[in-house]
Short mmCIF file of all heavy atoms in Angstrom, two decimals:
data_model
loop_
_atom_site.label_atom_id
_atom_site.label_comp_id
_atom_site.label_asym_id
_atom_site.label_seq_id
_atom_site.Cartn_x
_atom_site.Cartn_y
_atom_site.Cartn_z
N GLU F 128 -48.63 -122.59 -90.69
CA GLU F 128 -49.88 -121.93 -90.32
C GLU F 128 -49.91 -120.47 -90.77
O GLU F 128 -50.98 -119.88 -90.90
CB GLU F 128 -50.10 -122.02 -88.82
CG GLU F 128 -50.39 -123.44 -88.36
CD GLU F 128 -50.65 -123.53 -86.86
OE1 GLU F 128 -50.84 -122.49 -86.21
OE2 GLU F 128 -50.65 -124.67 -86.36
N LYS F 129 -48.74 -119.88 -91.02
CA LYS F 129 -48.67 -118.48 -91.45
C LYS F 129 -48.49 -118.34 -92.95
O LYS F 129 -48.31 -117.24 -93.45
CB LYS F 129 -47.55 -117.76 -90.71
CG LYS F 129 -47.83 -117.63 -89.23
CD LYS F 129 -46.84 -116.73 -88.56
CE LYS F 129 -47.20 -116.55 -87.09
NZ LYS F 129 -46.37 -115.54 -86.44
N GLY F 130 -48.50 -119.45 -93.67
CA GLY F 130 -48.41 -119.41 -95.12
C GLY F 130 -47.19 -120.14 -95.65
O GLY F 130 -46.19 -120.30 -94.95
N PHE F 131 -47.28 -120.58 -96.91
CA PHE F 131 -46.23 -121.37 -97.53
C PHE F 131 -44.89 -120.64 -97.58
O PHE F 131 -43.84 -121.24 -97.39
CB PHE F 131 -46.67 -121.78 -98.94
CG PHE F 131 -45.66 -122.61 -99.67
CD1 PHE F 131 -45.51 -123.96 -99.38
CD2 PHE F 131 -44.84 -122.04 -100.63
CE1 PHE F 131 -44.57 -124.74 -100.04
CE2 PHE F 131 -43.89 -122.81 -101.29
CZ PHE F 131 -43.76 -124.16 -100.99
N ASP F 132 -44.92 -119.34 -97.85
CA ASP F 132 -43.68 -118.57 -98.02
C ASP F 132 -43.23 -117.84 -96.77
O ASP F 132 -42.21 -117.14 -96.78
CB ASP F 132 -43.84 -117.56 -99.17
CG ASP F 132 -43.89 -118.25 -100.52
OD1 ASP F 132 -43.21 -119.29 -100.69
OD2 ASP F 132 -44.59 -117.75 -101.42
N TYR F 133 -43.97 -117.96 -95.69
CA TYR F 133 -43.59 -117.29 -94.44
C TYR F 133 -42.30 -117.89 -93.88
O TYR F 133 -42.12 -119.10 -93.86
CB TYR F 133 -44.71 -117.44 -93.40
CG TYR F 133 -44.31 -116.94 -92.04
CD1 TYR F 133 -44.46 -115.61 -91.69
CD2 TYR F 133 -43.74 -117.81 -91.10
CE1 TYR F 133 -44.07 -115.15 -90.44
CE2 TYR F 133 -43.34 -117.36 -89.85
CZ TYR F 133 -43.51 -116.04 -89.53
OH TYR F 133 -43.11 -115.58 -88.30
N ARG F 134 -41.40 -117.00 -93.43
CA ARG F 134 -40.17 -117.43 -92.76
C ARG F 134 -39.94 -116.56 -91.52
O ARG F 134 -40.12 -115.34 -91.56
CB ARG F 134 -38.94 -117.30 -93.67
CG ARG F 134 -39.00 -118.12 -94.94
CD ARG F 134 -38.98 -119.62 -94.64
NE ARG F 134 -38.94 -120.42 -95.85
CZ ARG F 134 -40.01 -120.90 -96.49
NH1 ARG F 134 -41.23 -120.63 -96.04
NH2 ARG F 134 -39.87 -121.65 -97.56
N ARG F 135 -39.53 -117.21 -90.45
CA ARG F 135 -39.10 -116.51 -89.24
C ARG F 135 -37.58 -116.63 -89.22
O ARG F 135 -37.03 -117.73 -89.18
CB ARG F 135 -39.71 -117.13 -87.99
CG ARG F 135 -39.27 -116.46 -86.70
CD ARG F 135 -39.94 -117.04 -85.46
NE ARG F 135 -40.15 -118.48 -85.48
CZ ARG F 135 -41.34 -119.08 -85.68
NH1 ARG F 135 -42.42 -118.36 -85.88
NH2 ARG F 135 -41.42 -120.39 -85.69
N ILE F 136 -36.90 -115.48 -89.26
CA ILE F 136 -35.44 -115.47 -89.34
C ILE F 136 -34.91 -114.84 -88.06
O ILE F 136 -35.18 -113.67 -87.78
CB ILE F 136 -34.96 -114.70 -90.59
CG1 ILE F 136 -35.58 -115.36 -91.84
CG2 ILE F 136 -33.44 -114.68 -90.66
CD1 ILE F 136 -35.37 -114.61 -93.12
N THR F 137 -34.20 -115.64 -87.28
CA THR F 137 -33.66 -115.18 -86.01
C THR F 137 -32.16 -114.95 -86.19
O THR F 137 -31.44 -115.83 -86.70
CB THR F 137 -33.90 -116.23 -84.91
OG1 THR F 137 -35.30 -116.54 -84.87
CG2 THR F 137 -33.44 -115.73 -83.56
N ILE F 138 -31.72 -113.76 -85.82
CA ILE F 138 -30.31 -113.39 -85.96
C ILE F 138 -29.77 -113.06 -84.58
O ILE F 138 -30.31 -112.21 -83.88
CB ILE F 138 -30.14 -112.18 -86.90
CG1 ILE F 138 -30.78 -112.49 -88.26
CG2 ILE F 138 -28.66 -111.82 -87.06
CD1 ILE F 138 -30.81 -111.31 -89.21
N GLN F 139 -28.68 -113.75 -84.21
CA GLN F 139 -28.03 -113.50 -82.92
C GLN F 139 -26.58 -113.11 -83.17
O GLN F 139 -25.91 -113.71 -84.01
CB GLN F 139 -28.08 -114.74 -82.05
CG GLN F 139 -29.49 -115.15 -81.68
CD GLN F 139 -29.51 -116.47 -80.93
OE1 GLN F 139 -28.91 -117.45 -81.35
NE2 GLN F 139 -30.22 -116.48 -79.80
N GLY F 140 -26.11 -112.10 -82.45
CA GLY F 140 -24.71 -111.70 -82.55
C GLY F 140 -24.47 -110.57 -83.54
O GLY F 140 -23.33 -110.18 -83.77
N LEU F 141 -25.53 -110.03 -84.12
CA LEU F 141 -25.42 -108.93 -85.08
C LEU F 141 -26.06 -107.70 -84.46
O LEU F 141 -27.15 -107.78 -83.91
CB LEU F 141 -26.14 -109.31 -86.38
CG LEU F 141 -25.97 -108.39 -87.58
CD1 LEU F 141 -24.53 -108.42 -88.06
CD2 LEU F 141 -26.88 -108.82 -88.71
#
Side-chain angles (χ1 to χ4, degrees):
E128 291 181 13
K129 293 190 176 187
F131 180 78
D132 290 326
Y133 172 87
R134 300 294 184 267
R135 179 177 37 255
I136 303 171
T137 306
I138 304 173
Q139 297 174 311
L141 189 66

